[in-house]
Amino acid sequence: MQWETVIGLEVHVQLATHSKIFSGASTAFGAEPNTQACAVDLGLPGVLPVLNEQAVAMAVQFGLAIHAEIPEVSVFDRKNYFYPDLPKGYQTSQMYHPIVGPGEVEVTLDDGSSKRVRVHHAHLEEDAGKSLHESFSDGMGHAMTGIDLNRAGTPLLEIVSEPDMRSAKEAAAYLKAIHSIVTYLGISDGNMAEGSMRCDVNVSVRPVGQAEFGTRAEIKNVNSFRFVERAIEFEVERQIELIEDGGKVVQETRLYDPERDETRSMRTKEEANDYRYFPCPDLLPVVLDAAYVDHLRETLPELPDEKRARFQSALGLSAYDAGVLAASREMAEYFEAVKEACGDAKQAANWVQGELAGALNREGLAIQDSPVSAPQLGGLIARVMDDTISGKAAKQVFQALWNGQGANADEVIEAKGLKQVTDSGAIEAMIDRVIADSPAQVAQYRDAEPDKRGKMIGYFVGQVMKASHGTANPQQVNSLLKEKLDALC
Amino acid sequence: MHDKTLTELAASLAAGEFTSRELTEHLLGRIERLDGTLNSFITVTPEQALAAADAADAARSRGEAGPLTGLPVAIKDLFCTDGVLTTAGSKMLANFIAPYDASVVERLKAAGTVSLGKANLDEFAMGSSNENSAFGAVKNPWDTSAVPGGSSGGSAAAVAAGLAPAAMGTDTGGSIRQPAAFCGITGLKPTYGRVSRWGIIAYASSLDQAGPMARTAEDCALLLNAIAGHDPRDSTCVARGVPDYREELDAPLAGLKIGLPREYFGDGLDPEVERAVREAVAVYESLGATVREVSLPHTHYAIPAYYVIAPAEASSNLSRYDGVRFGHRCENPSDLIDLYKRSRAEGFGEEVKRRILIGTHTLSEGFFDAYYKKAQQVRRLIRQDFLDAFEEVDVLMGPASPTPAFDLGAQKDPVSMYLQDIYTIAVNLAGIPGISVPAGFVGKRPVGLQILGTHFAEQRLLNVAHQFQQATDWHLRRPQLVEESA
């Protein structure tokens, strides 16, 4: 039987506010446990939440970026459950009236095709704390668990998609698109390793052609693009096998274990909590007037879709190049700075995606951590374009800049003597010496059929380039050599 | 000294008749002698009180005294107080020392008042008799076999017994007005959002409201001046100017239109209480007011709606008492669930558990629409009843409670206890202000007249109450305490 996969994602994005969503405590990552939790975050008696306006603005900006409806009124609800890292015994979230209504995201797949994924809504909520299970003891041999509430109250935007994705690749591409939008907007650092972005994946399968959805499983807290793909692939295979073996998929919550590359059951529907949602009486409904929303719309930066389109239309890049370069704000900003410095979009695109991307990949570095700055790279390209150096020498210059040997391309070229020799007199002298030193090769050349000679010239080119330490202009070497050798025939 | 009102004490302090330290020492002495019987305080803070009194005296000598400087108050033990035990009347918080002041406490401190200590209350403010305190029941100073009312029973009893000239209470379903009525003092529940809830241990957040309890309306006005107004730490606290509540106290009542809600004079109302209330209304007529009957047709839904909404919010608000971070934790829990179950089973009293269970049930899936949602719809109707009535009259009047204070231990059945709040609860659902003033006695036990106004009509209510107190002397009566007569 042919199976179709149906996937929906709930993406949790940690918003880059300075303080928490309902308190003034800092949201900085990596502090000592419980040093960034105030009385409100600890849920001490009598404390009350006050909504962080920056979190509201960021949520609305996201909504505008995905062309979503922004309802005039949204309401915070309490989601009640007991867990030690949930200090108040409820999470303040938005169940019935979220801040962002239906919208859509344009997703680009690896083959360059694109697809629209609908967003059902996005809502604001507070994060919980963290349980620390490792190496706690009460001194009497009992294992204990520590609680770190630094993360409690960190603002999250939960973005809930429609079940519009049909493959693991589409899901990963959607997640990348969301990542790209939130980092462009600057509303999240998008750091998945630090948990700034994580997602729950809903997966089901159904026979191709069937209209109704199959029973879905929810995979919790997946925190990388790669794991999303692998978790879905595993889960799809598991569900198909299960059904084909005569079994039934049960609605349950599962966990993806990257070490064993499998999903495991966490709890079934029967064990699910009854969250007893109700409107939080401590917070007034959030009312957004049109002027406020318009103001935020005006402050939106150029977004990935717009940037991609501009790269194609105004800079003449291919759809593929434009897509890669516009995928992240850092990448796009770097590329545009290189383009500014060298004056040629195509060359800038080639270098950023070629030499630079390769080097970054090898070292596992992000573009914002590149040892070669955009002005440095642009300067280097400019020297290739004005024939100061050869393409080959350019690679040496790049490596030197990467290693921090020199402030800019000119300095490296100067220090290493890589300036291309374009003086035909000097080149001719070198050619004459090579010809004089290679009587056997010259004889072979002379004896060869004229149409074979083209290939044989490579030897002489190599010798001349060697003699010039790579600084001779290859085109000039080529044409002068041909001239001189042919004169000997 | 202890028979004086706040206003009189302020005048005496200003005139140099005695110092705040002398006054504070006198009241601390009375608490020491009398409160063993009454149990109106959970925690007395003599050192902090005397230090605050000395600071007040020093401020006065520098010419920096305000209207409340050096005046002692008692604080219901539901308000967090920095560095002082804050229990909410519960074993759950029997070891909780708050690291901050409630906004109300902060403002009272800033105004120079002297806190004598933390007044007893029904656990987490749940109750109408003060018998639900983990620290023991409070006794009514007028008759120690009677309850003082609840949940601000300790605050009411302390003021009535002359242990403190004024106290802070909170009112979620009548918890200021009913104990004020039972103890023969004046208690004001302001409009919801008029006074900050920051630092008040939450019972039912959409209903809780702090307010002053004192001998007179004038004193309540003085206190409300200090505590009312916007607080950026409480989103539900309204950003709206605060008038001087003493300004209109002397305005004449001629032309005042009083409405008597038909529903407040029906079955279950003690005839003696009704007589006292009607006599009080007659006093108003003699002052130039006109009286008419009005109807609040949804009144009989108030108690059911309240006992859906308040427990629902309470079940959520009280989830944080889980033994994990502060408060009571059971001994040697075997695992997490055991920790939760036993800490909460041991820490909470019966009434609190009852309301948590009711609230958990009404919010649960499948019941939410039938209970919580319906109750919120009823709440809107009740509020509309009041708004309609205030189109026709300036204030509403009726009894604060259907009976005078009942005997300790008399109300065995929770539902009959809940019915004690039949005249006060709708006011919280509507968010309007109400005041209870002494209006007579049934035997030894006081009767309270409740006066209601529309949202933010505190100034008018205080004026109407004050004029009554200018014409009558119920508020001047003092209980004869056992120790004093002996």
Side-chain angles (χ1 to χ4, degrees):
Chain A
M1 187 181 288
Q2 289 277 34
W3 295 93
E4 180 177 54
T5 306
V6 176
I7 303 163
L9 255 56
E10 293 164 26
V11 184
H12 295 80
V13 174
Q14 186 176 312
L15 297 177
T17 53
H18 303 302
S19 56
K20 294 185 177 177
I21 185 166
F22 299 123
S23 85
S26 164
T27 51
F29 178 79
E32 283 292 297
N34 296 312
T35 55
Q36 291 185 165
C38 67
V40 174
D41 308 321
L42 261 55
L44 290 185
V47 301
L48 293 171
V50 176
L51 179 59
N52 182 338
E53 286 175 26
Q54 202 187 3
V56 171
M58 287 176 165
V60 172
Q61 283 179 310
F62 175 79
L64 294 171
I66 63 162
H67 317 291
E69 294 168 28
I70 308 294
E72 194 185 344
V73 178
S74 69
V75 178
F76 282 97
D77 301 292
R78 290 185 184 178
K79 177 181 180 178
N80 296 277
Y81 64 97
F82 284 99
Y83 205 70
D85 65 17
L86 187 72
K88 299 189 296 291
Y90 55 82
Q91 179 189 28
T92 308
S93 180
Q94 297 188 307
M95 175 67 178
Y96 302 107
H97 303 283
I99 190 155
V100 173
E104 58 180 26
V105 172
E106 175 98 20
V107 170
T108 310
L109 302 170
D110 285 346
D111 63 6
S113 65
S114 68
K115 165 170 181 146
R116 286 192 185 281
V117 175
R118 291 170 300 154
V119 169
H120 180 270
H121 76 269
H123 65 260
L124 280 169
E125 61 184 30
E126 59 183 335
D127 207 344
K130 221 164 48 176
S131 297
L132 308 169
H133 299 293
E134 67 272 11
S135 65
F136 278 92
S137 160
D138 62 354
M140 290 181 289
H142 296 107
M144 294 180 83
T145 296
I147 306 291
D148 176 8
L149 294 176
N150 281 355
R151 208 177 65 187
T154 298
L156 297 178
L157 184 65
E158 181 170 335
I159 303 156
V160 181
S161 82
E162 294 284 358
D164 281 357
M165 286 151 282
R166 294 290 172 270
S167 72
K169 291 223 176 305
E170 285 185 14
Y174 168 78
L175 192 58
K176 282 179 186 156
I178 296 286
H179 185 268
S180 161
I181 292 169
V182 299
T183 51
Y184 260 81
L185 290 171
I187 62 172
S188 175
D189 65 15
N191 188 329
M192 298 183 84
E194 288 176 4
S196 300
M197 230 179 107
R198 48 192 194 266
C199 73
D200 301 340
V201 189
N202 286 295
V203 183
S204 64
V205 297
R206 63 181 171 191
V208 170
Q210 179 181 303
E212 64 268 27
F213 296 131
T215 307
R216 68 190 160 89
E218 184 181 31
I219 312 167
K220 279 280 183 200
N221 269 329
V222 191
N223 67 349
S224 88
F225 299 123
R226 197 159 52 96
F227 292 166
V228 163
E229 250 185 272
R230 282 167 47 180
I232 293 170
E233 277 161 8
F234 175 88
E235 183 59 22
V236 166
E237 205 168 308
R238 185 188 72 86
Q239 291 186 13
I240 292 173
E241 270 176 32
L242 188 64
I243 299 169
E244 288 183 341
D245 289 349
K248 255 191 164 156
V249 176
V250 294
Q251 190 175 333
E252 63 180 351
T253 304
R254 298 179 71 85
L255 191 76
Y256 176 67
D257 177 349
E259 305 211 334
R260 302 171 64 173
D261 191 21
E262 63 177 29
T263 66
R264 278 200 302 275
S265 183
M266 269 172 78
R267 55 176 182 265
T268 60
K269 190 183 173 188
E270 282 67 38
E271 302 166 53
N273 276 307
D274 176 352
Y275 291 117
R276 308 190 311 282
Y277 281 99
F278 75 105
C280 180
D282 288 330
L283 291 160
L284 300 174
V286 180
V287 180
L288 302 172
D289 64 37
Y292 176 78
V293 175
D294 287 343
H295 164 73
L296 287 176
R297 187 177 283 117
E298 282 157 23
T299 63
L300 288 184
E302 188 182 34
L303 290 160
D305 285 356
E306 297 156 15
K307 200 156 271 205
R308 191 166 48 234
R310 179 168 62 83
F311 284 179
Q312 282 184 253
S313 62
L315 303 182
L317 299 188
S318 70
Y320 177 80
D321 285 356
V324 172
L325 293 170
S328 85
R329 183 176 183 161
E330 289 83 6
M331 176 66 90
E333 279 171 1
Y334 189 98
F335 160 71
E336 295 217 69
V338 173
K339 191 210 75 184
E340 279 307 306
C342 74
D344 188 300
K346 187 67 194 159
Q347 289 293 331
N350 288 346
W351 273 87
V352 169
Q353 289 179 83
E355 201 67 18
L356 180 74
L360 291 171
N361 273 343
R362 274 194 299 280
E363 304 274 327
L365 291 175
I367 187 123
Q368 57 269 36
D369 303 321
S370 168
V372 179
S373 71
Q376 284 177 324
L377 184 58
L380 166 60
I381 296 169
R383 290 297 160 265
V384 179
M385 289 169 57
D386 67 11
D387 279 340
T388 305
I389 53 172
S390 67
K392 200 171 162 196
K395 292 189 178 182
Q396 272 180 270
V397 177
F398 178 83
Q399 197 56 48
L401 289 172
W402 183 274
N403 295 334
Q405 301 160 337
N408 55 46
D410 291 338
E411 223 180 278
V412 176
I413 293 165
E414 183 64 36
K416 290 192 180 289
L418 294 172
K419 198 165 175 358
Q420 191 158 242
V421 178
T422 50
D423 170 1
S424 51
I427 293 174
E428 273 184 73
M430 283 187 275
I431 289 173
D432 291 344
R433 202 170 316 123
V434 167
I435 289 175
D437 292 348
S438 314
Q441 285 79 2
V442 172
Q444 278 178 16
Y445 185 90
R446 204 169 37 213
D447 299 343
E449 296 292 319
D451 61 324
K452 297 272 167 60
R453 285 176 184 159
K455 277 185 183 165
M456 298 178 71
I457 206 166
Y459 166 80
F460 299 96
V461 172
Q463 292 301 307
V464 174
M465 291 311 286
K466 201 169 158 188
S468 76
H469 304 288
T471 60
N473 182 309
Q475 278 90 46
Q476 273 178 295
V477 172
N478 242 313
S479 61
L480 284 170
L481 256 174
K482 196 164 181 330
E483 225 171 81
K484 285 189 181 278
L485 286 170
D486 288 347
L488 296 172
C489 297
Chain B
M1 234 186 260
H2 58 267
D3 276 341
K4 288 179 187 268
T5 66
L6 271 187
T7 310
E8 290 163 353
L9 288 170
S12 296
L13 288 173
E17 290 168 30
F18 43 78
T19 64
S20 176
R21 171 170 267 270
E22 286 163 347
L23 172 59
T24 302
E25 280 174 343
H26 174 72
L27 294 172
L28 288 170
R30 283 182 67 79
I31 294 169
E32 175 91 38
R33 286 198 311 281
L34 302 172
D35 206 44
T37 310
L38 295 175
N39 198 28
S40 67
F41 282 88
I42 291 174
T43 305
V44 183
T45 52
E47 283 163 32
Q48 289 98 322
L50 291 171
D54 289 342
D57 287 333
R60 187 175 298 285
S61 69
R62 292 194 303 271
E64 292 168 6
L68 284 168
T69 300
L71 294 176
V73 292
I75 308 286
K76 185 181 186 177
D77 205 12
L78 199 65
F79 292 83
C80 287
T81 42
D82 192 359
V84 176
L85 198 63
T86 299
T87 70
S90 180
K91 184 183 169 188
M92 188 57 96
L93 289 174
N95 62 3
F96 179 68
I97 294 175
Y100 42 81
D101 278 328
S103 289
V104 166
V105 173
E106 205 176 82
R107 290 181 185 199
L108 286 173
K109 274 188 187 171
T113 65
V114 172
S115 170
L116 298 168
K118 308 298 289 290
N120 205 340
L121 71 159
D122 283 304
E123 185 179 1
F124 285 104
M126 298 180 192
S128 308
S129 69
N130 222 305
E131 294 166 295
N132 295 333
S133 169
F135 300 87
V138 177
K139 299 203 171 71
N140 191 317
W142 292 94
D143 181 346
T144 52
S145 63
V147 302
S151 63
S152 309
S155 297
V159 173
L163 307 186
M168 279 299 135
T170 66
D171 190 316
T172 305
S175 285
I176 286 176
R177 291 158 288 154
Q178 184 253 24
F182 280 13
C183 291
I185 65 166
T186 306
L188 170 70
K189 181 206 98 77
T191 307
Y192 180 78
R194 180 74 288 192
V195 177
S196 171
R197 287 186 295 118
W198 166 266
I200 299 172
I201 294 175
Y203 159 25
S205 310
S206 74
L207 302 162
D208 295 344
Q209 178 60 49
M213 305 174 80
R215 299 237 161 80
T216 65
E218 187 177 19
D219 286 1
C220 286
L222 189 60
L223 289 165
L224 188 61
N225 277 346
I227 63 172
H230 180 56
D231 179 1
R233 293 177 297 189
D234 176 0
S235 313
T236 62
C237 185
V238 182
R240 182 181 169 125
V242 179
D244 183 341
Y245 289 106
R246 288 177 304 179
E247 224 166 46
E248 301 287 324
L249 289 174
D250 292 324
L253 297 187
L256 179 78
K257 285 183 276 181
I258 298 172
L260 301 184
R262 184 180 310 141
E263 293 79 6
Y264 285 23
F265 293 89
D267 287 347
L269 177 59
D270 182 304
E272 291 288 284
V273 171
E274 177 168 1
R275 182 187 47 76
V277 168
R278 290 201 185 275
E279 281 173 11
V281 172
V283 171
Y284 278 103
E285 287 183 295
S286 75
L287 295 173
T290 57
V291 178
R292 62 198 284 190
E293 193 180 76
V294 295
S295 177
L296 302 170
H298 298 94
T299 296
H300 58 293
Y301 296 118
I303 287 188
Y306 176 89
Y307 280 99
V308 170
I309 293 168
E313 293 183 8
S315 72
S316 177
N317 284 334
L318 269 56
S319 302
R320 69 188 61 198
Y321 306 105
D322 56 7
V324 173
R325 283 148 293 123
F326 53 81
H328 178 75
R329 179 189 284 192
C330 69
E331 296 277 341
N332 302 316
S334 60
D335 59 21
L336 180 63
I337 298 300
D338 187 46
L339 168 75
Y340 287 154
K341 280 186 176 169
R342 280 202 289 127
S343 296
R344 288 169 69 82
E346 294 165 10
F348 289 138
E350 289 306 306
E351 185 58 28
V352 172
K353 286 178 190 166
R354 186 177 294 121
R355 294 193 196 187
I356 289 174
L357 287 173
I358 293 170
T360 303
H361 177 72
T362 55
L363 284 179
S364 54
E365 222 174 302
F367 297 99
F368 180 82
D369 284 358
Y371 292 113
Y372 186 83
K373 225 171 163 178
K374 186 64 83 182
Q376 291 291 16
Q377 288 164 351
V378 169
R379 182 178 189 167
R380 279 194 285 279
L381 294 174
I382 287 170
R383 180 187 152 96
Q384 195 55 50
D385 280 357
F386 280 114
L387 295 182
D388 292 346
F390 290 124
E391 292 284 309
E392 296 177 31
V393 297
D394 300 313
V395 292
L396 296 171
M397 287 187 189
S401 168
T403 66
F406 44 88
D407 287 346
L408 282 153
Q411 302 281 359
K412 302 265 189 271
D413 166 29
V415 175
S416 65
M417 183 75 96
Y418 297 164
L419 290 170
Q420 288 298 319
D421 298 332
I422 191 159
Y423 303 136
T424 50
I425 266 178
V427 171
N428 298 76
L429 290 169
I432 60 171
I435 192 169
S436 175
V437 292
F441 288 86
V442 176
K444 288 200 288 182
R445 303 181 183 184
V447 171
L449 168 72
Q450 183 177 218
I451 312 166
L452 308 176
T454 195
H455 297 96
F456 298 99
E458 285 83 0
Q459 216 172 20
R460 192 69 202 258
L461 288 188
L462 289 162
N463 160 235
V464 170
H466 180 68
Q467 289 306 307
F468 182 72
Q469 293 180 333
Q470 296 305 103
T472 61
D473 67 351
W474 302 114
H475 62 291
L476 299 176
R477 313 280 178 97
R478 299 286 177 264
Q480 197 65 35
L481 296 172
V482 182
E483 288 77 359
E484 289 174 315
S485 55

